[in-house]
Amino acid sequence: MHPSNFDLFADRETEQQPRAEQIGEQSWLLRGFALPLIEQLLPALESILLAAPLRHMMTPGGFSMSVGTSSCGALGWITDRTGYRYSSVDPLSGSPWPALPPVFAELAHSAATRAGFAGFDADSCLINRYVPGAKMSLHQDKDEKAYAAPIVSLSLGLPAMFLFGGFNRSDKSQRIALLHGDMLIWGGVDRLRFHGVLPIKQGRHPRLGEQRINLTFRVAG
Ligand code: MD3
Ligand code: FE
């Protein structure tokens, strides 16, 4: 990796910011970064899910996803028998997705800035809900119109073992535990790396209960 980047956030003592852990050339893990905002984030998430409930989408191959999904923002990621794409309309309601709450936009922007990606302005937030046993197989995120912007993710609730792979499906993956409040940012040369999530283990999170919810903030359009 790049030892020259090691001191990028050496000023954290004066800024009182959490540690940034470099996991790839242009990928960063910010442990607990969202915790100061958590009591604003959770009610915003709850009202989004009232308007656009989680649902198990069908893959083009005809399998129902083990993860429940929804979205907010101008564009939402969907899948059905015809393929994967972004849509401005929630197919369940026929209406636009709920707006991206300002607290979501601010969190994603500040996490991206912290990872060296200035000016991040998400137009899409994909919400993935995992119950114990749910997983996400290795894949690349390629449905966005351009790959110049990073993707920013927030983990909530039960822990997950995240797989951070290479540029070929068969490349060896590193395993990273993602905990409540952690954020991951990856872009640039790492944007098209394969990644996935191992089946979530049984458990009960004090705030979220028996589930993990992951938000990914994207520039999709
Ligand atoms: C690294 N979600 O929604 S987030 C997805 O935890 C997705 O729900 C996972 O993969 C989840 O597409 C992982 C972290 C993540 C997302 C996309 C990446 C890491 C990534 C794309 C490239 C490299
Ligand atoms: Fe992904």
Side-chain angles (χ1 to χ4, degrees):
M1 237 161 274
H2 289 248
S4 58
N5 284 339
F6 204 75
D7 281 335
L8 201 56
F9 303 119
D11 57 349
R12 67 179 183 268
E13 292 83 355
T14 50
E15 291 178 11
Q16 294 293 307
Q17 291 201 2
R19 195 160 43 99
E21 200 179 313
Q22 188 171 15
I23 60 165
E25 225 177 303
Q26 290 184 273
S27 305
W28 299 86
L29 171 58
L30 306 179
R31 290 277 182 214
F33 189 84
L35 293 178
L37 285 175
I38 208 79
E39 295 307 329
Q40 292 164 253
L41 294 165
L42 294 181
L45 176 60
E46 212 168 321
S47 65
I48 289 162
L49 295 180
L50 287 175
L54 293 159
R55 78 293 306 256
H56 293 273
M57 289 194 196
M58 186 81 85
T59 65
F63 297 98
S64 173
M65 293 178 70
S66 67
V67 169
T69 61
S70 186
S71 282
C72 62
L75 292 168
W77 182 85
I78 61 170
T79 172
D80 58 24
R81 290 308 300 254
T82 71
Y84 306 115
R85 63 195 177 278
Y86 282 90
S87 169
S88 58
V89 166
D90 176 355
L92 211 57
S93 66
S95 303
W97 298 99
L100 195 71
V103 65
F104 282 23
E106 277 162 33
L107 175 73
H109 183 275
S110 66
T113 302
R114 192 87 176 80
F117 298 99
F120 182 71
D121 187 15
D123 62 9
S124 175
C125 170
L126 173 62
I127 303 163
N128 292 145
R129 174 187 191 248
Y130 300 74
V131 295
K135 65 176 171 64
M136 193 169 290
S137 306
L138 273 184
H139 67 279
Q140 294 171 293
D141 290 14
K142 297 175 91 167
D143 301 320
E144 299 71 30
K145 191 178 255 172
Y147 308 136
I151 296 181
V152 173
S153 93
L154 164 62
S155 292
L156 298 168
L158 288 177
M161 195 56 81
F162 174 67
L163 301 174
F164 192 51
F167 300 99
N168 295 109
R169 188 180 295 279
S170 58
D171 292 348
K172 194 174 158 49
S173 295
Q174 40 171 327
R175 291 180 176 204
I176 299 167
L178 293 179
L179 311 176
H180 183 67
D182 289 353
M183 296 193 72
L184 267 183
I185 305 93
W186 63 96
V189 297
D190 291 325
R191 177 64 179 73
L192 291 176
R193 283 171 71 148
F194 278 88
H195 58 280
V197 178
L198 292 181
I200 301 296
K201 291 191 176 148
Q202 284 292 344
R204 182 185 298 273
H205 185 272
R207 191 70 175 77
L208 275 283
E210 294 177 30
Q211 61 178 341
R212 168 177 189 258
I213 295 185
N214 183 80
L215 308 185
T216 42
F217 301 97
R218 300 146 186 270
V219 178

